[in-house]
Amino acid sequence: MDLARPEVTKGPEGDPAPDGAAGPPARRGRGLRLSRGGAARLGLMALPVAFFAVFFAYPLAAIVARGLKVNGAWQFGRIADVLGQSDIQHVLWFTTWQALASTGLTLLLALPGAYVFARFDFRGKQVLRAVVTVPFVLPTVVVGTAFLALIGRGGLLDELWEVRLDTTVWAILLAHVFFNYAVVVRTVGGLWAQLDPRQEEAARMLGASRPRAWRTVTLPALAPAVAAAALMVFLFTFTSFGIVQILGGPTYATLEVEIYRQTANLFDLATAAVLTLVQFAAVGAVLAVHAWTVRRRESTLRLVDAATTARPPRGAGQRGLLGFVLLTVAALIVLPLGVLVQRSLDTSEGPGFAYYEQLTSTDGGAFLVPPIDAVWNSLQYAVVATAIALVVGGLAATALTRRAGRLVRGFDALLMLPLGVSAVTVGFGFLIALDEPPLDLRASWFLVPLAQALVGVPFVIRTMLPVLRAVDGRLREAAAVLGASPLRAWREVDLPLVRRALLVAAGFAFAVSLGEFGATVFIARPDNPTLPVAVATLFGRPGDLNYGQAMALSTILMVVCAVSLLLLERVRTDRTTGEF
């Protein structure tokens, strides 16, 4: 540019623009706003990235390095050696087989429920929605205990059969359906409720039968949501730990259970590291496909207000379908929880609260403190973990609000990894990696809520992100034009609109933190046990007293989770469901 000659400002059509007109200076201002937005997004990512790098990637890398490094040299030949063992191959086969079977069975039983919740309006719908969601936030050890009491060896149904059958595999599969029923109902039902039913009605008016109209119109629109739900169920069952640990015994083990056995019982870190890498690769592949299905779901048919699509069931067919769903919920969800309560009251002297009373005593010798202290410990840990998850997850969700390129999508996938990566490995990695200054936290109580927050953050993000993306971006731009900083714009514009979603996210984070077991089984101290750890410890000790106390603690934890979910249903609206 010739600095001696002043540049002529051009108008929109290339003509000289009068003084003060919006020519190139406006473009420069726009570019400045974009750069500020990009810088703000990077700033919002900083804390979540640092949190996951220090408390997720670093412990995971530490235990893998400890297992595969010998005298400072990587021994990758161990991978082939471990995977060549027949018992490890059996674990890999059973892990994959039971995950596929659990996913198929869950879809078969839960898709009718998704339709009922999406299309029918009936009395008690909100309470029923809370009931089917309770299992999802229950600790896996409680779910395993409930199904052991129902159909396991010595369970209620086992006592009623004249011929004893090995019900272990069925107990595992049904427990996984129990646990993941709400995933399908909420993911598929949430989209189904927003599909315009007039499109299917138009196909029927053109001569299509009801099954053909559903197959050619509704099913293609639902396919991304069904695929996303199936992938999430597969992910949760592929990495199942507490359920298989309790129900499977020594015969059946998933990758997660085998990692725990190799780490805690055999101290074979090399095998544990190889299995961790295998699970990490599988989870990464599942999450990549899940992200693709989510993008397809966001570009589905035009959606309508969910409140306008629900109608009271009409005719014998619709009432029969509603009855089938109610029966399924009663048999699959209410019955196991009811048996759990019944076993907690079934003492040697008849029905009573003797096991609950024993929770205030240390006579059993399982803990240094009364087992009831685990309730208070868990509540304190969960409150701190929820606060951490809200800060980290809220910042991450805000950074992800505006869709961007591969960097942001990769960041989104990174934040989902704790849902599928071995919590056992992360917990043991905490003990190995966080034992030197400036991160010498091994003896600190703060280690437990940090591990719990890792699981809570993805729920916060997936709950808040759809609501944040629904906020009109022009409101933020108007606030910026008026001089508001990004922080003030978020406080004045976004926060009032997403307050309810924030409460729902907090509730989910609190519930899942309360029930986290895989990592805390390593890092919870004997004088400060959490509820899931206390349940597993009591259950692993012989004697009717320990068994009864485990059932009593499981019932208390179930009641706390149920109350939390019922409160969330009063706060939740169709706009604050998120992806869970």
Side-chain angles (χ1 to χ4, degrees), residues 207-222:
S209 63
R210 185 183 296 273
R212 184 180 180 185
W214 184 84
R215 188 178 66 252
T216 58
V217 177
T218 304
L219 183 58
L222 285 178

Side-chain angles (χ1 to χ4, degrees), residues 36 475-493:
R36 283 178 178 174
L475 297 176
R476 300 188 189 99
E477 294 174 1
V481 169
L482 293 174
S485 64
L487 178 61
R488 185 178 179 185
W490 184 87
R491 188 176 67 247
E492 300 292 342
V493 176

Side-chain angles (χ1 to χ4, degrees), residues 496-570:
L497 297 174
V498 302
R499 185 179 291 115
R500 293 170 74 90
L502 190 64
L503 291 175
V504 173
F508 267 112
F510 178 81
V512 298
S513 299
L514 200 65
E516 205 287 322
F517 175 62
T520 52
V521 70
F522 281 101
I523 58 181
R525 300 189 308 190
D527 57 338
N528 285 293
T530 64
L531 265 172
V533 172
V535 169
T537 302
L538 287 168
F539 187 76
R541 296 172 65 90
D544 291 339
L545 177 60
N546 289 315
Y547 179 82
Q549 287 181 315
M551 293 294 179
L553 278 179
S554 298
T555 301
I556 291 173
L557 189 49
M558 177 194 70
V559 170
V560 172
C561 291
V563 170
S564 301
L565 262 295
L566 287 171
L567 292 176
L568 285 182
E569 282 301 316
R570 296 182 64 87

